[in-house]
Amino acid sequence: MTDEFSVESVYAELLGRAPENKMEPRLAPLFRAMDVLGEPNKAYPIIHITGTNGKTSTARMIEAGLRAHGLSTGRYTSPHLSKVTERISIDGEPVPDATFVRIWDEIRPYLEIVDSELEADNQPRLTYFECLTILGFAVFADQPVDVAVIEVGLGGITDATNVGDGQVSVITPISLDHTDLLGDTTEDIAYEKAGIIKPGGFLVSAAQPVDAAQVLLEKAREVDVPFRFEGVEFGVESRAVAVGGQVLTIQGLAGRYEDLLLPLHGAHQAENAAVAVAALEAFFGGGEKELDAEVLTEAFGNVTSPGRLEVVRTAPTVVVDAAHNPDGIRVSAEAIQEAFSFSKLVVVVGVLREKDAEEILKTLRDSLGGLAGEFCFTQSNSARAVPAAELAELAVDLGFGEDNIHIAEKLDDALEWAVERAESNDDLAGGVLVTGSITVVAEARILLGKAGA
């Protein structure tokens, strides 16, 4: 039996549990699992990250900074793009297959104890996401890592990752998403996300809507932790578009960092970088010690963020972006227009059921202006995908114009059509954008030969 097959076997076993979009709002079973496993959640300091958009990119930047300072890191993020091991990274690389399988085999009997106790209490057994989270904590303890960067799955208060106490709690921009579970105002959503702010920690927050910022501020004061907000104590001082990314000057909590080359596109990634710098300053010196500028330059120069305005093909240029809510779509559209000189853009769109498809399409229509002339509506292989024809019908209702719409249920057909349209009339500056859901971006990356993360 190969490691690859073993990973797939474990993944199949995990998928047999309650799926990722059926997260349970509970923590007691997670604490019970940590207890029977010897508390791997307390084996290393944690930088805990929540927010609506930018979590994974920010996590990767923080991880790069920690590694550049010589620390061994664990990074837990979700979802994965092509392989489940991407979610649990050691020193910037997906956990080795053999380690993934070995630790799962070691913890499985203990998880069965917790499952049995839950079933005896008429509760659902541990879910897919809960099991993966427990596995992540266990892998990091087994390594062992010097520090773990842990991304919340959903919300904060009752998210499975919240069995870990962040030495630094990082909150990226909050906007409306998962409103059925987290609330339909940014204030309600901020209340959920403020659950990761713990006594003894340190809050670093991106710029937030006023109501959300107030909630975070009150929570930080309640548990008596220092708090620093982008736009008040730190932020992006300047940014300029450069080949393959942008050059930044960031005013941190303790220092000012000039000429940082960040190989990622968009103002939102610059803001994520500022949050990452502040988080690193908070971790290393309580926000009072300047980072080594050369080390930070090295760290940011090596940052990648797969599936986030990522160029996966040239001639014509195909960009994939995992934006899956209106705010994410808006900032990505701004970045596309800033970073690429497209004469026209063909947009391939696929959306999942739990998302606000109407607002996503409206935002695409309005934010891309006259650049996007043609749209191809498609669907990923996910059972939660909105049918391509249904998306197209919604687009017509929103005034997209039937002549500008194409339907391709299969993503490979959608990509083929979009590339042909981008190249039509011998246009050498046409481009393709694939967006709307992480699942459609993940499948597009694989089809276009970008399987790794």
Side-chain angles (χ1 to χ4, degrees):
M1 182 183 295
T2 65
D3 284 343
E4 175 67 25
F5 182 76
S6 297
V7 169
E8 292 307 312
S9 298
V10 173
Y11 188 42
E13 189 176 335
L14 289 164
L15 290 174
R17 293 172 175 269
E20 188 149 34
N21 63 329
K22 298 294 183 186
M23 295 182 186
E24 290 288 329
R26 62 186 186 182
L27 273 182
L30 274 294
F31 279 113
R32 175 64 175 141
M34 292 297 111
D35 184 49
V36 299
L37 289 170
E39 297 189 316
N41 55 323
K42 297 183 178 179
Y44 35 76
I46 291 170
I47 298 177
H48 205 178
I49 304 177
T50 190
T52 304
N53 291 313
K55 295 187 294 296
T56 299
S57 294
T58 304
R60 295 177 77 105
M61 292 181 203
I62 292 171
E63 173 194 45
L66 295 168
R67 293 185 62 219
H69 280 84
L71 297 182
S72 170
T73 59
R75 170 171 48 84
Y76 181 69
T77 54
S78 61
H80 59 277
L81 287 170
S82 57
K83 187 174 177 181
V84 68
T85 51
E86 295 164 17
R87 296 179 179 230
I88 302 169
S89 289
I90 302 291
D91 293 331
E93 297 293 333
V95 59
D97 290 358
T99 304
F100 183 89
V101 173
R102 175 175 61 83
I103 300 298
W104 176 253
D105 285 342
E106 289 175 5
I107 71 172
R108 183 196 281 112
Y110 298 95
L111 301 191
E112 289 172 354
I113 292 171
V114 179
D115 281 336
S116 296
E117 292 173 353
L118 287 168
E119 288 172 341
D121 198 31
N122 293 316
Q123 293 187 52
R125 63 184 186 142
L126 292 166
T127 67
Y128 167 88
F129 186 75
E130 288 171 337
C131 286
L132 267 177
T133 301
I134 296 164
L135 178 59
F137 279 114
V139 166
F140 298 153
D142 175 78
Q143 187 63 18
V145 300
D146 295 322
V147 55
V149 182
I150 306 286
E151 177 189 315
V152 160
L154 182 68
I157 292 176
T158 57
D159 184 76
T161 65
N162 210 24
V163 292
D165 294 335
Q167 183 172 317
V168 181
S169 298
V170 178
I171 303 186
T172 65
I174 293 172
S175 61
L176 298 180
D177 198 9
H178 299 291
T179 52
D180 54 329
L181 299 171
L182 300 180
D184 54 12
T185 68
T186 48
E187 180 179 8
D188 290 342
I189 293 171
Y191 177 77
E192 289 289 328
K193 296 185 184 298
I196 73 166
I197 305 170
K198 308 283 184 63
F202 192 116
L203 170 62
V204 171
S205 175
Q208 304 290 1
V210 173
D211 59 352
Q214 189 61 34
V215 170
L216 302 181
L217 184 65
E218 289 172 1
K219 178 65 175 182
R221 287 174 170 160
E222 176 192 326
V223 298
D224 193 26
V225 302
F227 50 86
R228 303 289 187 270
F229 283 80
E230 180 196 358
V232 181
E233 288 92 0
F234 70 92
V236 179
E237 189 175 297
S238 67
R239 53 184 292 270
V241 176
V243 176
Q246 55 193 310
V247 175
L248 312 175
T249 294
I250 291 174
Q251 177 59 56
L253 303 179
R256 181 173 178 270
Y257 310 95
E258 299 180 331
D259 299 327
L260 295 171
L261 175 61
L262 182 70
L264 302 174
H265 302 293
H268 62 298
Q269 293 290 20
E271 290 164 11
N272 290 338
V275 171
V277 166
L280 289 165
E281 289 177 315
F283 180 79
F284 283 115
E288 298 179 0
K289 181 181 177 183
E290 187 172 347
L291 302 173
D292 184 306
E294 288 187 10
V295 173
L296 188 61
T297 298
E298 175 197 342
F300 276 15
N302 293 324
V303 167
T304 61
S305 195
R308 278 75 181 176
L309 285 174
E310 179 187 14
V311 176
V312 293
R313 173 181 165 160
T314 56
T317 299
V318 178
V319 179
V320 296
D321 189 74
H324 52 273
N325 54 50
D327 261 30
I329 292 285
R330 178 182 53 78
V331 297
S332 293
E334 291 171 359
I336 280 272
Q337 293 172 88
E338 174 188 81
F340 299 92
S341 301
F342 292 133
S343 57
K344 66 179 178 185
L345 191 64
V346 182
V347 186
V348 176
V349 187
V351 182
L352 296 181
R353 277 279 179 213
E354 63 267 27
K355 300 301 180 179
D356 190 339
E358 181 173 347
E359 285 302 316
I360 286 173
L361 295 190
K362 281 182 182 177
T363 306
L364 276 172
R365 178 196 66 194
D366 298 341
S367 58
L368 286 172
L371 180 62
E374 295 177 284
F375 291 81
C376 181
F377 295 101
T378 189
Q379 60 200 69
S380 67
N381 289 323
S382 171
R384 293 145 50 206
V386 177
E390 191 176 316
L391 280 178
E393 186 177 338
L394 179 58
V396 171
D397 291 344
L398 293 172
F400 274 63
E402 291 188 45
D403 292 343
N404 300 324
I405 287 174
H406 182 75
I407 299 171
E409 291 184 1
K410 292 184 177 180
L411 183 56
D412 53 353
D413 293 337
L415 292 172
E416 183 179 354
W417 179 86
V419 166
E420 287 178 0
R421 295 307 302 155
E423 293 177 321
S424 63
N425 302 321
D426 296 321
D427 191 339
L428 300 179
V432 175
L433 170 65
V434 183
T435 193
S437 80
I438 291 175
T439 58
V440 82
V441 163
E443 291 175 22
R445 291 180 83 251
I446 292 170
L447 286 169
L448 292 165
K450 290 277 188 177

